[in-house]
Amino acid sequence: MKTPVAIIGAGPAGLLLAHLLQRAGIESVVLESRGRDYVERRVRAGVLEHGGAQLLREAGVGDRLDREGLEHRGIYLRFNGEIHHIDFKRLANRGIFVYGQQEVVKDLIAARLASGGAILFEAEARRIDDRDAHHMSVLFTQGGDEQRLECDFIAACDGSHGIGRATMLSRNATGYEHIYPYAWLGILARTPPAADELVYAYHERGFALHSMRSPQVSRLYLQVRRDETLDGWPEERIWSELRLRLHEPSLDAGEILEIGVTPMSSYVMEPMQDGRLFLAGDSAHIVPPTGAKGMNLALADAATLAAGLIEWYGKHSSERLDRYTASCLQRVWRAEFFSAFMTQLLHRDELDGEFEHRLRLAQLKYVTSSRAASTSLAENYTGAATS
Ligand code: APR
Ligand code: PHB
């Protein structure tokens, strides 16, 4: 099998890349180890920055986002019995969209299949062979058969546990990592949202987040210990802890549609390319979800890589491709800083005492009362700081 660009992974990064290339007349094949149903149902993040939404619109896949996405002008910060609205529209002149990552994935898969592009589901990439620019290939298995996909370029968009990251690490790439001592227990529930916009709550018992997917469905998170399992969290305990930390005593305990625990870490790989192998999205970097940046970074990498490949095929110039790592890392490190900042601002570490608690309250007070500090939060959250 032969294609110009082999793309490993059908998440937001791999799918947007395939779609942008297709629109420019460049063929590719997407290899995805899971089935279509699985990737379309996997519940993930849900916030699109103005820039992420714009990328989808420009790529011609923004119609459903514009119809069904929830446009928010800001977020709420709750702490110490107070609630404060940070008005992004006023402070940074742009808002955000709440739209589930699996909806973005569904839209991109539909567009890809409608245009006749190839996605091989249940096709697992096993090895990247890229030592020689003239003999690039990905070895993969599908239905028990081993096959080789020959190509000019390989885009590893295969997430943090894929072979892209492992391949780069076996060479000279460096991974910079920070592990947080906590995780998020997340539920998707058939409960009308208790607020009109996202509520980030800092409580002495730990962080909680109230997000949503529709007027009937809420997405809610609780900070838990990193090593915690769901065994210790029967539904009643989840709801009572959410009500307490979010200050929403009447939050309705609706049917839980999905539940999971995600440990939190920050990770950046440098460089994000080696020869004709390029990493995009989670394969190259991870952010803790508190800054709502994961999906946006994945889409931005894909757009940057697509522009480089389009220039290479159109003008035979590698200028943009050569600058790929540098272009991405500036945005990535800014998002890493903001995500770590939001995480440390809003989470309670088990080792923290009263002193750290009071420091956090002082910082929250500042962020919500100083125009400069709240503008900084708004610029970073909406992506205005990086575009
Ligand atoms: N072969 C083929 N596919 C693979 C392989 C492999 N060896 N390993 C992983 N995959 C697939 C996974 O099944 C997944 O569908 O690669 C895809 C990677 O997609 P995502 O994890 O969604 O990564 P990305 O596109 O970078 O999007 C990042 O996802 O985790 C969230 O918060 C994160 O919002 C961010 C987004
Ligand atoms: C979500 O809706 O899933 C969500 C929202 C904001 C975050 C993280 C996740 O910071």
Side-chain angles (χ1 to χ4, degrees):
M1 208 186 288
K2 217 171 167 150
T3 188
V5 185
I7 300 175
I8 311 173
L15 289 167
L16 180 64
L17 174 62
H19 183 68
L20 292 173
L21 293 178
Q22 178 101 10
R23 278 167 70 90
I26 302 165
E27 293 292 317
S28 64
V29 170
V30 180
L31 303 172
E32 167 56 52
S33 56
R34 304 286 192 158
R36 178 175 177 183
D37 201 47
Y38 181 91
V39 297
E40 290 192 340
R41 279 167 191 260
R42 188 168 42 189
V43 180
R44 292 282 194 62
V47 173
L48 278 170
E49 292 170 354
H50 173 85
Q54 206 49 32
L55 274 178
L56 294 175
R57 283 192 198 109
E58 284 163 12
V61 284
D63 290 357
R64 203 160 66 89
L65 163 69
D66 282 328
R67 271 198 322 274
E68 297 174 22
L70 308 170
E71 194 172 4
H72 288 185
R73 58 179 299 135
I75 57 168
Y76 293 99
L77 289 179
R78 197 179 243 301
F79 57 95
N80 212 21
E82 305 167 21
I83 186 153
H84 298 264
H85 188 242
I86 310 282
D87 189 335
F88 296 160
K89 273 256 161 92
R90 186 170 57 84
L91 296 164
N93 205 22
R94 40 174 92 181
I96 52 162
F97 277 90
V98 179
Y99 191 61
Q101 181 168 313
Q102 79 267 38
E103 305 307 325
V104 173
V105 165
K106 276 184 215 160
D107 295 344
L108 286 167
I109 289 178
R112 172 94 181 142
L113 298 180
S115 61
I119 307 179
L120 305 186
F121 288 104
E122 287 165 18
E124 184 176 352
R126 291 297 181 88
R127 204 173 72 221
I128 286 170
D129 288 322
D130 64 332
R131 276 302 178 194
D132 171 354
H134 302 291
H135 299 94
M136 301 281 295
S137 67
V138 180
L139 199 68
F140 69 98
T141 50
Q142 193 183 29
D145 291 336
E146 194 167 75
Q147 298 181 59
R148 189 174 288 280
L149 176 60
E150 292 178 13
C151 53
D152 303 329
F153 292 96
I154 300 171
C157 307
D158 51 349
S160 55
H161 303 293
I163 60 168
R165 185 185 289 191
T167 302
M168 290 293 288
L169 284 177
S170 70
R171 302 176 186 176
N172 279 334
T174 306
Y176 299 96
E177 185 167 36
H178 180 85
I179 308 270
Y180 300 87
Y182 26 77
W184 277 14
L185 187 162
I187 61 168
L188 186 73
R190 208 179 298 287
T191 300
D196 55 341
E197 293 184 341
L198 272 56
V199 183
Y200 287 77
Y202 172 68
H203 191 275
E204 47 195 8
R205 296 170 68 91
F207 170 74
L209 170 62
H210 186 342
S211 179
M212 59 209 69
R213 289 293 178 270
S214 74
Q216 295 80 34
V217 175
S218 297
R219 180 86 172 129
L220 299 141
Y221 298 96
L222 282 173
Q223 174 190 349
V224 297
R225 283 200 323 273
R226 189 178 180 85
D227 56 3
E228 208 132 12
T229 64
L230 289 172
D231 298 345
W233 288 92
E235 289 194 11
E236 267 159 53
R237 181 174 175 211
I238 295 174
W239 288 111
S240 65
E241 198 64 30
L242 282 168
R243 290 187 190 111
L244 194 68
R245 293 190 199 177
L246 291 168
H247 268 265
E248 288 291 351
S250 50
L251 187 67
D252 194 19
E255 180 194 355
I256 294 186
L257 307 167
E258 199 269 345
I259 184 164
V261 175
T262 317
M264 288 163 78
S265 55
S266 299
Y267 184 93
V268 181
M269 161 156 295
E270 292 193 15
M272 291 169 58
Q273 65 194 97
D274 182 41
R276 290 177 166 220
L277 166 66
F278 292 83
L279 265 56
D282 273 17
S283 63
H285 40 73
I286 298 286
V287 281
T290 332
K293 292 281 166 229
M295 173 162 50
N296 297 289
L297 288 178
L299 296 173
D301 285 357
T304 306
L305 183 51
L309 290 168
I310 291 167
E311 188 184 81
W312 195 89
Y313 281 104
K315 297 192 199 151
H316 298 287
S317 158
S318 67
E319 205 193 309
R320 268 175 188 260
L321 282 180
D322 295 342
R323 277 191 282 117
Y324 174 69
T325 293
S327 316
C328 293
L329 282 184
Q330 197 173 338
R331 174 176 59 235
V332 167
W333 276 114
R334 185 67 238 146
E336 290 287 348
F337 176 85
F338 178 66
S339 306
F341 163 78
M342 286 289 277
T343 302
Q344 276 146 10
L345 178 68
L346 291 161
H347 289 68
R348 184 108 203 228
D349 193 316
E350 273 199 338
L351 301 173
D352 285 353
E354 269 307 298
F355 182 79
E356 287 78 8
H357 175 55
R358 276 155 207 275
L359 277 186
R360 223 163 259 134
L361 291 178
Q363 183 64 9
L364 279 161
K365 195 82 200 163
Y366 177 59
V367 161
T368 50
S369 58
S370 147
R371 176 142 185 147
S374 52
T375 302
S376 167
L377 192 150
E379 285 181 351
N380 280 282
Y381 196 109
T382 58
T386 44
S387 56

